[in-house]
Amino acid sequence: MRIEDIAPRASVLIESMRDIGYSLETALADIVDNSITAGSTCIRIFVSTDRAALQIAILDDGQGMDPSEILAAMRLGSRSPLEEREQADLGRFGLGLKTASFSQCRRLTLVSRKNGGTSAAIWDFARVAETDEWQVEIPDTPEAIPWADRLGESGTLVLWENLDRIVQDGSDDAIAHFVKRVDEARSHLELVFHRFLTAEPGHRKIQMFLNERPLESFDPFHSNHSATDMGPVERIKVGAHEVTVQTFTLPHHKKVTPDEWERYAGPAGYVKNQGFYVYRQRRLIIHGTWFGLARQTELTKLARVRIDMPNGLDAAWKIDVKKASAQPPYQVRKRLRRIIETLGANSKRVFAGKGHKLLSDNRLPAWNRMQAKGEIFYRINPDYPMFAEFASHLSEGVRADFFRVLEVAGSALPMDALFADLGDSPNKVACSAISDDSLDQALQATVERLKESKISLADIKEMIQFVEPFRSNWERTEPLLTQLV
Ligand SMILES: Nc1ncnc2c1ncn2[C@@H]1O[C@H](COP(=O)(O)OP(=O)(O)OP(=O)(O)O)[C@@H](O)[C@H]1O
Ligand SMILES: [Mg+2]
């Protein structure tokens, strides 16, 4: 037997490592993980979108590193995933700092201050390409590195330069796109670290800033709202560890302001954001999925389920390097399926309650809500006073045609579009406005019809209040109605 040494080629492997699948936001989150693990209380991110000096700097006030610790940190695979870590450690692979940074930039500088000394090391792709060796540069004057002057007594600076993956060229479009991605990253960090950004019992609160503006904790469960339905905390044993699960049903849109409704929908909307929210040491790993145990339907769109797992279960949950995906172990899957079943019923109740009330208020509807053979459908009501009044003036043949027109219009209700719009932003779906002229004409015809039906004037006045479109245009309707009856 012979042994051959086939070490990876540095210049090749370092390029391939850029495409593990990070986005700007998941890369930033991986750097923030390190700062939190290092005991930081304040983490500041600076993004310079200045064309001449595109940079991203992440500064913390954690315990910092000495020169040998800096070298260890810069090594690819600094610690084995098999090694057991302290409970509060958010790391696992010994890779995050490097893989996250390389996914965004071609030059990574690490500067750190500890015990009064400042030291640094730099990974530069140009050097690795030239030498084909795993060599970092050690600068002589680390204090002179941009942003390093902002380090406090102890702490660490991660600096990304040569951001070729974020800004492909110096065009205005590319810069505008960069600025937008930074905004998205802000929202992502506010969600992923929301439990650190607020004071949770037994834990220190961490402040984070992006370009001097503080990040605001975003709690996806809206748990401080009185209309949020919270389930009990359930505990599931996995070996020696414990996973906790708690269900939340967010408030119906009538119970919150339009702004709140939008905010808690998130950019992807309620339907996409329903599902499990898995936290590892209080840091959000994955959200908006039922892990294939249920479908993301309109009816369960307000359901969000919080799962808390310790870092000892990483392998069982198949946590990935980016800390952006996970899969529940089989012991947990069974229980989760049962939890989903009870939850569906909850969310349905929140919706159905509202749907009925709206319809039963309307005593003379222009649309009828019908139910037959287990299906619900809507049909234009030919007895609606204005339609009936109009029909009475038509010759027999034309009248039959008119009712057919109503039937066709009713059967062509654009259900898919309505369903999608109502699901996304129910507050923004409205009936089209009616002109004053049409409203007046409709009112006259309606009153006429009701009078013919021998309904008392007092009753007519009472009824009209609940009939659309008069109910929604009551200010204009009322004076005219008084004249008419
Ligand atoms: N901001 C920081 N402050 C102090 N030490 C740090 C900081 N960032 C990184 N380190 C040190 O560098 C090591 C390597 O970090 P890296 O992110 O590459 O791996 P990890 O955090 O151990 O695991 P993972 O790959 O899961 O992130 C860390 O374990 C830590 O000891
Ligand atoms: Mg890490």
Side-chain angles (χ1 to χ4, degrees), residues 399-474:
R399 193 182 314 156
D401 280 346
F402 171 63
F403 286 130
R404 220 164 295 143
V405 169
L406 291 188
E407 190 185 334
V408 171
S411 71
L413 188 66
M415 290 301 297
D416 292 346
L418 269 175
F419 192 68
D421 290 341
L422 283 169
D424 282 352
S425 42
N427 289 312
K428 288 196 186 140
V429 181
C431 289
S432 57
I434 185 169
S435 70
D436 288 348
D437 246 10
S438 300
L439 185 75
D440 296 353
Q441 292 258 333
L443 184 62
Q444 275 173 27
T446 304
V447 171
E448 204 61 35
R449 182 73 191 175
L450 295 174
K451 275 184 186 167
E452 278 165 24
S453 313
K454 306 266 177 310
I455 296 175
S456 76
L457 294 183
D459 283 349
I460 291 179
K461 209 170 168 186
E462 173 77 10
M463 277 170 95
I464 295 277
Q465 286 183 46
F466 297 105
V467 177
E468 288 295 4
F470 312 118
R471 188 177 72 157
S472 307
N473 295 279
W474 190 241

Side-chain angles (χ1 to χ4, degrees), residues 136-194:
V136 290
E137 299 168 11
I138 312 293
D140 297 329
T141 48
E143 295 83 2
I145 291 165
W147 311 98
D149 57 331
R150 304 204 183 207
L151 280 171
E153 209 166 289
S154 75
T156 300
L157 158 68
V158 173
L159 176 63
W160 296 345
E161 290 168 296
N162 207 339
L163 305 171
D164 66 327
R165 283 291 168 90
I166 308 178
V167 188
Q168 270 96 0
D169 57 67
S171 68
D172 288 348
D173 269 0
I175 302 286
H177 181 64
F178 181 25
V179 172
K180 197 164 157 258
R181 303 249 319 264
V182 173
D183 276 341
E184 288 162 6
R186 170 187 291 276
S187 311
H188 181 77
L189 297 172
E190 289 180 333
L191 172 63
V192 166
F193 296 105
H194 75 93

Side-chain angles (χ1 to χ4, degrees), residues 356 368-378:
H356 270 303
N368 275 332
R369 179 179 185 271
M370 328 266 281
Q371 205 162 2
K373 293 189 193 131
E375 284 190 332
I376 294 167
F377 49 92
Y378 286 80

Side-chain angles (χ1 to χ4, degrees), residues 272-451:
K272 288 262 164 60
N273 281 330
Q274 67 181 297
F276 294 114
Y277 284 65
V278 181
Y279 294 82
R280 171 178 178 271
Q281 300 298 134
R282 305 194 302 135
R283 186 264 211 225
L284 184 63
I285 300 277
I286 186 172
H287 72 282
T289 170
W290 289 119
F291 295 129
L293 297 171
R295 279 201 230 141
Q296 289 186 312
T297 68
E298 186 65 27
L299 280 177
T300 49
K301 73 175 184 185
L302 296 179
R304 297 182 182 180
V305 179
R306 182 167 119 175
I307 300 181
D308 271 300
M309 58 167 277
N311 62 1
L313 284 176
D314 288 339
W317 279 82
K318 306 197 184 72
I319 297 294
D320 73 337
V321 173
K322 304 187 296 290
K323 318 284 182 328
S325 89
Q327 281 171 32
Y330 73 95
Q331 300 96 316
V332 178
R333 280 183 89 86
K334 258 197 309 205
R335 285 282 289 280
L336 294 184
R337 185 172 290 127
R338 220 167 313 136
I339 288 167
I340 293 176
E341 279 159 18
T342 58
L343 217 121
N346 247 349
S347 287
K348 280 175 201 156
R349 193 154 36 74
V350 174
F351 275 99
K354 291 292 170 182
H356 270 303
K357 189 148 166 286
L358 276 180
L359 291 175
S360 54
D361 277 353
N362 204 344
R363 295 192 208 164
L364 265 180
W367 289 85
N368 275 332
R369 179 179 185 271
M370 328 266 281
Q371 205 162 2
K373 293 189 193 131
E375 284 190 332
I376 294 167
F377 49 92
Y378 286 80
R379 189 175 270 176
I380 295 180
N381 177 12
D383 296 328
Y384 180 71
M386 187 193 175
F387 300 156
E389 173 64 15
F390 178 70
S392 72
H393 296 300
L394 303 174
S395 69
E396 217 148 289
V398 182
R399 193 182 314 156
D401 280 346
F402 171 63
F403 286 130
R404 220 164 295 143
V405 169
L406 291 188
E407 190 185 334
V408 171
S411 71
L413 188 66
M415 290 301 297
D416 292 346
L418 269 175
F419 192 68
D421 290 341
L422 283 169
D424 282 352
S425 42
N427 289 312
K428 288 196 186 140
V429 181
C431 289
S432 57
I434 185 169
S435 70
D436 288 348
D437 246 10
S438 300
L439 185 75
D440 296 353
Q441 292 258 333
L443 184 62
Q444 275 173 27
T446 304
V447 171
E448 204 61 35
R449 182 73 191 175
L450 295 174
K451 275 184 186 167

